[in-house]
Amino acid sequence: MMVSSLRDVAALAGVSAMTVSNVINDRATVAPRTRAKVERALAELNYRPNLSARNLAGGRSGVIALGVPEIAIPYFAEIASMVIEEAERRGWTLLIEQTDSRPERESEVLNGIRPRLVDGLILYPSVLSPAEIAERADATPLVLFGGPAADKSTDHVVIDNLAAGRTATEHLISLGRTRIAVIGPLTEPRVDAESPRLGGYRQAITAAGLDWRDELIAHAPAYHRRDGAEAMRRLLTGPELPDAVFCFSDLLAAGAMHAALSSGVRIPEDLAIVGFDDIEEASFLTPTLTSIRPNKRRIAELTVRRLALSIEHGETHKPQLVVADHTLIRRQSTIGQG
Amino acid sequence: MMVSSLRDVAALAGVSAMTVSNVINDRATVAPRTRAKVERALAELNYRPNLSARNLAGGRSGVIALGVPEIAIPYFAEIASMVIEEAERRGWTLLIEQTDSRPERESEVLNGIRPRLVDGLILYPSVLSPAEIAERADATPLVLFGGPAADKSTDHVVIDNLAAGRTATEHLISLGRTRIAVIGPLTEPRVDAESPRLGGYRQAITAAGLDWRDELIAHAPAYHRRDGAEAMRRLLTGPELPDAVFCFSDLLAAGAMHAALSSGVRIPEDLAIVGFDDIEEASFLTPTLTSIRPNKRRIAELTVRRLALSIEHGETHKPQLVVADHTLIRRQSTIGQG
DNA sequence: TTCCTTCATTTTAGCGTTAAAAATCGGCGC
DNA sequence: GCGCCGATTTTTAACGCTAAAATGAAGGAA
């Protein structure tokens, strides 16, 4: 089948190319009879607009980009899947960039690797600071998601990590656990501050009148399974054996759980575990994993919606910090078969 | 920072736009001194080519698309990650389409949702038949990966599923297991034939002189964890209790393992399990999961390479069926702590 | 010297689309 | 019948780039 252009359609319908363009874009006032004629020709030739041409002529490309550290991390894969669906709903296609959490890659993505090709960019900022993000060269509409809030100059969709950390810890406290460990990146390199999830833990521990014990705080360089397993091994051979652990991601929890079970630790009897993200895997681990569930669908929806607004209103668009909700999902890793 | 065009660079360097274009694309013979001048201007203005314009002018867009059923399925996420890396190596960016295994979506992707925007397409054909794929309207270079081989008219990267199925089953037989079950989609809807993984199982069972028992063959509608869990529950309540099970994907195995462990079945003592894909999760399940590991890196590499050839040589390019290797990775779910 | 090559660079034209300006077409009021 | 108006459609001119053709400059051979 031949690829047909506006001209071909115009010729077949006996009108000018511009009229066809007007019909397609539902613009100006096209007479009903003309519209019908054009639509027939459009269908007959199976016309598909050339996006490059449209983009070049000042229109939009219909492509948006999503930048994440690694698409193979389930949390990002799940988010990407939903962002694709939301984008599709608006007739957009998604282009994916992996940053590997490397500053230069993140910066490249931010400054438009595919200049002028994408209408907008959604980025999970994993290493660049708000300042570095603010001073980017590219003018492509941008929405961030995840991580601590940047400055006010950028749209940003987050969840309340502090509250989530508190909730997770309170849940463990409510089960009567007193030696509650933590596994995860303890600091937020982007803003050079304590991780808000750790902050929530601290608040809950303090509020419950429990002792803060440094030996229960296990730093993990990243959010992978192996980091969780290593941290758990350290905790298990440490001076103070925990009776619960709050992991900053489900992957960390999966690794930690594997290390614990391999050492003969019973979950949740000896050790209760709470994860974070509620990826699908959490429901199929044995025991199933209690986890903080960020509303991913909502995050995807809000992110795409903010981006749409930014793309459509350009200069007048006002960046905003949007907070999506989260819930604690109780499963066997804390409450057992109950 | 301003966005500069070829003209701007040309003006600054005191040459024509075409010369700048030649320098950028490393084409024709540009005099060393001219090249140096242009390169200085290029750097000074931080020039980035406009891909839409380049694409429109008959060049390439530098974007390729990857179509998979669901990006949130770990196997596809891992493959996507590697395809992104391979693509990046060639200066390409990857656009991702989800087909949800729906024929109309798969067909849409095949026929170019983003007409003329992508230089090439990589597709995991999950529901469309080779015939339907062969008669597509779009002329964009295409490479398939996975599933049974289509006809000779399309580039296709596969692994030897029949041999892999045989290997998995032989491994279980070598452990002395005699009631070996199977969990997975039993037929290949695309070609309306038996699944080659099931074929391999059949060959191994027959060769070992074991009985074929229909009640050990558990069909799963798809490759998800829940399908594996359901199938396992059926097997456990069925007339014949298996002492081993070969699952057609690691997700199925994860679901099956969860269902089995939840029922008090010991793995591998009571039931040995082999999965397929060797996703990262397999190494962190408890017990760790024995699995067939397709060489994913190689699949990604071959796929992108075939696509590159097809894009570069167009008409003269000869489609090929390429087979990537696979290995059996032995872990605790079959051989225990050994 | 003159003409032919070869190398280096520029000019021309067009990719398919859209924004903006210009043109055409029926009325309609006077 | 003339001029004007709004509704509809067409023309024109880009958008930024590249392929192909044309030009120019520098050597060599005759």
Side-chain angles (χ1 to χ4, degrees):
Chain A
M1 191 182 290
M2 273 291 300
V3 184
S4 40
S5 74
L6 263 194
R7 286 204 213 318
D8 303 327
V9 178
L12 181 61
V15 298
S16 74
M18 200 57 221
T19 297
V20 179
S21 172
N22 284 331
V23 169
I24 291 169
N25 295 287
D26 219 29
R27 252 180 333 214
T29 39
V30 179
R33 279 191 46 211
T34 312
R35 175 179 300 271
K37 255 194 318 191
V38 172
E39 272 165 355
R40 216 171 316 124
L42 240 23
E44 184 167 338
L45 293 179
N46 184 33
Y47 171 80
R48 302 302 199 80
N50 178 317
L51 295 181
S52 293
R54 180 177 284 178
N55 185 219
L56 183 57
R60 310 265 166 72
S61 67
V63 177
I64 61 173
L66 172 70
V68 293
E70 282 179 67
I71 191 68
I73 290 180
Y75 175 70
F76 292 121
E78 291 181 9
I79 286 281
S81 179
M82 295 177 191
V83 168
I84 289 177
E85 286 168 23
E86 291 297 326
E88 199 174 297
R89 197 157 295 158
R90 293 169 195 266
W92 292 342
T93 310
L94 193 74
L95 192 147
I96 295 195
E97 302 277 359
Q98 293 195 115
T99 63
D100 292 323
S101 292
R102 276 161 41 211
E104 35 339 329
R105 278 290 300 154
E106 214 167 286
S107 176
E108 259 178 46
V109 170
L110 207 49
N111 290 294
I113 332 95
R114 297 288 146 200
R116 314 291 216 79
L117 176 66
V118 303
D119 294 341
L121 172 64
I122 297 173
L123 178 72
Y124 179 92
S126 131
V127 282
L128 290 191
S129 72
E132 288 168 307
I133 291 175
E135 69 188 16
R136 75 201 184 106
D138 205 61
T140 310
L142 168 72
V143 177
L144 304 176
F145 78 96
D151 57 343
K152 298 286 178 191
S153 70
T154 314
D155 270 304
H156 201 153
V157 177
V158 297
I159 63 162
D160 187 341
N161 281 296
L162 187 78
R166 206 168 43 219
T167 303
T169 313
E170 282 167 354
H171 172 59
L172 292 170
I173 293 172
S174 78
L175 298 170
R177 308 289 167 146
T178 54
R179 301 187 308 283
I180 303 174
V182 156
I183 294 180
L186 302 179
T187 57
E188 181 55 68
R190 296 185 53 233
V191 292
D192 193 29
E194 179 185 74
S195 154
R197 295 181 191 178
L198 181 61
Y201 165 85
R202 179 194 304 278
Q203 290 185 354
I205 291 289
T206 307
L210 293 176
D211 288 342
W212 174 276
R213 312 199 194 175
D214 280 340
E215 55 279 20
L216 290 180
I217 309 300
H219 177 72
Y223 291 93
H224 295 97
R225 293 183 182 88
R226 57 179 165 283
D227 302 311
E230 275 165 29
M232 178 54 78
R233 275 184 224 111
R234 268 183 280 131
L235 285 172
L236 292 178
T237 56
E240 173 92 18
L241 220 56
D243 59 7
V245 57
F246 166 34
C247 299
F248 289 179
S249 82
D250 282 358
L251 286 192
L252 286 170
M257 187 183 285
H258 178 63
L261 290 173
S262 300
S263 304
V265 173
R266 293 170 308 159
I267 298 173
E269 294 80 358
D270 303 331
L271 183 75
I273 302 192
V274 177
F276 205 109
D277 289 344
D278 190 37
I279 59 178
E280 191 185 287
E281 185 179 342
S283 314
F284 286 90
L285 290 172
T286 313
T288 53
L289 179 66
T290 293
S291 187
I292 294 285
R293 173 190 290 175
N295 191 334
K296 283 171 251 172
R297 170 68 54 191
R298 187 123 182 81
I299 291 174
E301 182 198 324
L302 286 171
T303 308
V304 174
R305 184 185 301 166
R306 293 307 302 171
L307 192 60
L309 286 174
S310 180
I311 290 173
E312 270 150 35
H313 297 101
E315 291 302 296
T316 61
H317 174 74
K318 235 179 102 223
Q320 227 175 334
L321 177 68
V322 188
V323 182
D325 59 294
H326 65 269
T327 349
L328 174 75
I329 305 293
R330 289 150 221 259
R331 297 206 185 88
Q332 298 166 353
S333 70
T334 55
I335 59 175
Q337 309 299 327
Chain B
M1 192 181 290
M2 272 292 300
V3 184
S4 41
S5 74
L6 264 194
R7 288 206 211 318
D8 303 327
V9 178
L12 181 61
V15 299
S16 74
M18 199 58 220
T19 296
V20 179
S21 171
N22 284 332
V23 169
I24 291 169
N25 296 286
D26 220 28
R27 251 180 335 214
T29 38
V30 180
R33 279 191 46 213
T34 314
R35 175 180 300 273
K37 255 194 317 190
V38 172
E39 273 166 355
R40 216 170 318 121
L42 240 23
E44 183 166 339
L45 294 179
N46 185 32
Y47 172 80
R48 303 301 200 80
N50 178 318
L51 294 182
S52 293
R54 180 179 285 177
N55 184 220
L56 183 57
R60 310 267 166 70
S61 66
V63 177
I64 61 174
L66 172 69
V68 292
E70 283 179 66
I71 191 68
I73 290 181
Y75 175 70
F76 293 121
E78 290 182 8
I79 287 280
S81 179
M82 294 177 191
V83 169
I84 289 178
E85 287 168 23
E86 291 298 327
E88 198 174 297
R89 196 158 295 158
R90 292 169 196 266
W92 293 341
T93 310
L94 194 73
L95 191 148
I96 294 194
E97 301 278 0
Q98 293 194 114
T99 63
D100 292 324
S101 291
R102 278 161 39 211
E104 39 333 334
R105 277 290 300 154
E106 214 167 286
S107 177
E108 259 177 47
V109 170
L110 208 48
N111 291 294
I113 332 97
R114 298 287 145 201
R116 313 291 215 78
L117 176 66
V118 303
D119 295 341
L121 172 64
I122 297 174
L123 178 71
Y124 180 92
S126 133
V127 283
L128 290 191
S129 72
E132 288 169 307
I133 291 174
E135 69 188 15
R136 75 200 184 107
D138 205 62
T140 310
L142 168 71
V143 177
L144 304 176
F145 78 96
D151 56 344
K152 299 284 178 193
S153 70
T154 314
D155 270 304
H156 201 153
V157 177
V158 297
I159 64 162
D160 188 340
N161 281 296
L162 187 77
R166 206 167 44 219
T167 303
T169 312
E170 282 167 355
H171 173 59
L172 292 169
I173 292 171
S174 78
L175 298 170
R177 309 289 166 145
T178 54
R179 301 187 307 283
I180 303 173
V182 155
I183 293 180
L186 302 179
T187 57
E188 182 54 69
R190 296 185 54 233
V191 292
D192 195 29
E194 180 184 72
S195 153
R197 294 180 192 178
L198 182 60
Y201 166 85
R202 180 193 304 278
Q203 289 185 354
I205 291 290
T206 307
L210 293 176
D211 289 341
W212 174 278
R213 312 200 195 176
D214 280 341
E215 56 279 18
L216 290 180
I217 310 301
H219 177 71
Y223 290 93
H224 294 98
R225 293 182 183 89
R226 57 178 165 282
D227 302 311
E230 275 166 27
M232 179 53 79
R233 276 185 223 111
R234 270 183 280 132
L235 286 172
L236 292 178
T237 56
E240 174 90 18
L241 220 55
D243 60 6
V245 57
F246 166 34
C247 300
F248 289 180
S249 83
D250 282 358
L251 286 192
L252 286 170
M257 186 184 285
H258 179 63
L261 291 174
S262 299
S263 304
V265 173
R266 292 170 307 158
I267 299 172
E269 295 81 357
D270 303 330
L271 183 75
I273 302 192
V274 177
F276 206 109
D277 290 344
D278 190 37
I279 58 178
E280 190 185 287
E281 185 179 342
S283 315
F284 286 90
L285 290 172
T286 314
T288 54
L289 179 67
T290 293
S291 186
I292 295 285
R293 172 190 290 174
N295 191 334
K296 282 170 253 173
R297 171 67 54 191
R298 187 124 183 82
I299 291 174
E301 183 198 322
L302 286 171
T303 307
V304 174
R305 184 186 302 166
R306 293 306 302 169
L307 192 60
L309 285 174
S310 180
I311 290 173
E312 270 149 36
H313 298 102
E315 292 301 296
T316 62
H317 174 74
K318 237 178 100 223
Q320 227 175 336
L321 177 68
V322 188
V323 182
D325 59 294
H326 66 267
T327 348
L328 174 74
I329 305 293
R330 290 150 220 258
R331 296 206 186 88
Q332 298 167 351
S333 71
T334 55
I335 58 175
Q337 309 299 327

